[in-house]
Amino acid sequence: MSTTTAPNASDAEFLEVTEPFRREILAHCYRMMGSHHDAEDLTQETYLRAWRGYGGFDRRASVRTWLHKIATNTCLTALGSRQRRPLPSGLGGDAFDPTDDLLQDHEVPWLEPFAGTVDEIAPGDDADPAYVVGARESIRLAFIAALQHLPERQRAVLILRDVLQWRAAEVADTIGVTTATVNSLLQRAREQLKNTAPEKDSPSTLDDAAKRELLAKYVSAFERYDVDAIVDLFTDKAIWEMPPPFTGWYQGAGAIGTLIRHNCPAEKDGDQILLPTTANGQPAFGLYMREPDGVHRPFQLQVLDLDADGKVSYVVAFFSDTLEEDFARFGLPATPYEAPQRTAPSPFH
C-alpha cells in the first residue's frame, strides 16, 4: 500500500474489518471484468482506495456495502478503456464445421476462468442466504460470458440488483444516476441477457455420487483417448469452445468427437492425463499432454457444465501462453507426476 497514512485509522484496524470480504470483492470485480487478472488488480485498487478513505467512513452503510461501492466504481472506470471479453460463441455466427481448419485470433481479449471453490467465492456465513445462493450461481462461466454483452453501466446495475440484491436507490447512489435510470438499465440488461449466448442446459442437479461417476468416466475416456467414449458422455446439444486463441465453437456430441479426432495431439492411451480442480465454482480439469520428450505438461484447462441426466453439456477448454502459471493458480502442479496420490485419477502418475 501507499506510505500515506490512513486518517484516524491504524492499518491493523482497517485490515481487521475489510479483509474478510476480499474474496467476495474479487468475485465482484471478476463479474464486472470477465478477467481474473484484471479482477486481482482492481481488488488491490479497491482496497487501496478504501484504505485511503477509511478515516472518513461514517459506517452508515456496512463495510461490505461500502467496499462493493468502491469496487463497482473502480471497475466502471477501468471498463471505460477496455474491450468486452467474449467466448468464441459470443462472437456471433453459427457453430463451426469441425472438419474445417482452426481459426485463431490473438487480438481478442478473451474471457478468463476464475479460480476458486463455491465456498471461497460465496460470501461469509453472516450474509443474507438469498445473496449466498445468487453469488454462487452468478460466478458460473456462462453467466460471466453473458454479462460481457452488456454495456458497463447495465452490467453494474444487473450485478448490484440481481446478484447483490441491492435496492434501486442504493444502486442509483453508487453509480450516480436516478432510481428511474437504474430501473430502465436493469430492464434493458435483463432483456439483453435472454438473447446473448447459444442455448446451454441449466446447471446440473446431479447428486454428488452421480457427479463423481460421470467425471470419473470423463477422465477415463480422455486418458484412454477413446473418442467414442468421449462422444457418449456429451448431450446432443453440447457446446465445445477453446479460447484463446481459437475463434470457433462447436455444437453436438458428434461434432465434438470429429473435432477431437482431427485436431487433438493425442494419439493413444496414456498421452493425456487429467487432474481435477474447480473453476467458476464448476468441475474443471487440468489436461496434461505428453510431449515428444515423453513428459506430460500443461496443455489446457477444461471447465465443464453437467446436465441433470448425467451428461456433459458444455466445455470451455482454455489455452494460454502462461499455462504453468495458470495451472498453479488453480492448485495444479507443473507436471501431473507431482500431484498427491489422493487427488490422482490416473494410473500414469
Side-chain angles (χ1 to χ4, degrees), residues 6-168:
N8 304 319
S10 70
D11 289 352
E13 178 189 335
F14 171 77
L15 291 174
E16 181 181 0
V17 300
T18 62
E19 200 61 24
F21 305 108
R22 183 176 289 271
R23 284 292 301 180
E24 197 176 326
I25 296 301
L26 178 64
H28 180 61
C29 291
Y30 173 71
R31 292 185 193 98
M32 289 288 294
M33 306 303 299
S35 161
H36 195 288
H37 292 92
D38 285 352
E40 288 179 328
D41 291 343
L42 291 169
T43 297
Q44 281 294 104
E45 178 65 21
T46 294
Y47 270 73
L48 180 58
R49 292 185 183 188
W51 179 72
R52 287 171 173 165
Y54 186 63
F57 175 42
D58 58 17
R59 297 185 181 272
R60 286 184 294 178
S62 69
V63 173
R64 170 183 278 117
T65 298
W66 178 63
L67 287 172
H68 273 98
K69 285 185 175 182
I70 297 172
T72 298
N73 284 293
T74 301
C75 290
L76 283 172
T77 300
L79 284 168
S81 60
R82 285 171 169 81
Q83 294 175 268
R84 69 184 182 93
R85 289 182 170 272
L87 290 173
S89 57
L91 294 176
D94 297 330
F96 281 46
D97 184 335
T99 63
D100 288 345
D101 292 338
L102 297 179
L103 302 179
Q104 302 184 28
D105 191 329
H106 294 272
E107 300 302 318
V108 175
W110 297 101
L111 189 73
E112 296 175 359
F114 187 88
T117 67
V118 168
D119 288 338
E120 288 173 333
I121 291 167
D125 293 338
D126 59 333
D128 180 86
Y131 171 34
V132 173
V133 173
R136 288 173 173 172
E137 287 303 313
S138 66
I139 207 71
R140 295 181 67 82
L141 200 55
F143 180 74
I144 301 300
L147 287 176
Q148 293 298 303
H149 294 266
L150 302 178
E152 53 263 33
R153 287 204 306 175
Q154 286 187 29
R155 195 182 308 179
V157 167
L158 185 106
I159 293 169
L160 294 174
R161 290 284 283 125
D162 286 359
V163 177
L164 302 188
Q165 300 183 343
W166 285 15
R167 297 187 303 274

Side-chain angles (χ1 to χ4, degrees), residues 214 218 233-235 238 304-307 310-315:
L214 173 57
Y218 187 88
L233 293 172
F234 282 92
T235 67
L304 282 63
D305 270 348
L306 314 178
D307 81 345
K311 294 273 191 175
V312 179
S313 60
Y314 184 37
V315 173

Side-chain angles (χ1 to χ4, degrees), residues 192-273:
Q192 177 70 15
L193 284 190
K194 294 178 182 177
N195 306 304
T196 50
E199 181 181 351
K200 300 180 179 76
D201 293 329
S202 299
S204 173
T205 55
L206 294 176
D207 62 31
D208 288 344
K211 284 182 183 178
R212 284 194 297 270
E213 181 180 359
L214 173 57
L215 294 174
K217 290 179 180 178
Y218 187 88
V219 169
S220 175
F222 270 90
E223 294 192 340
R224 290 182 289 110
Y225 194 55
D226 186 340
V227 180
D228 288 338
I230 293 172
V231 169
D232 287 343
L233 293 172
F234 282 92
T235 67
D236 292 339
K237 294 182 179 181
I239 290 174
W240 180 285
E241 43 195 335
M242 302 180 294
F246 301 107
T247 60
W249 63 281
Y250 307 86
Q251 186 158 32
I256 293 169
T258 300
L259 177 74
I260 292 172
R261 287 189 176 95
H262 278 75
N263 295 285
C264 182
E267 298 177 346
K268 61 185 182 304
D269 185 355
D271 281 351
Q272 301 175 111
I273 295 176

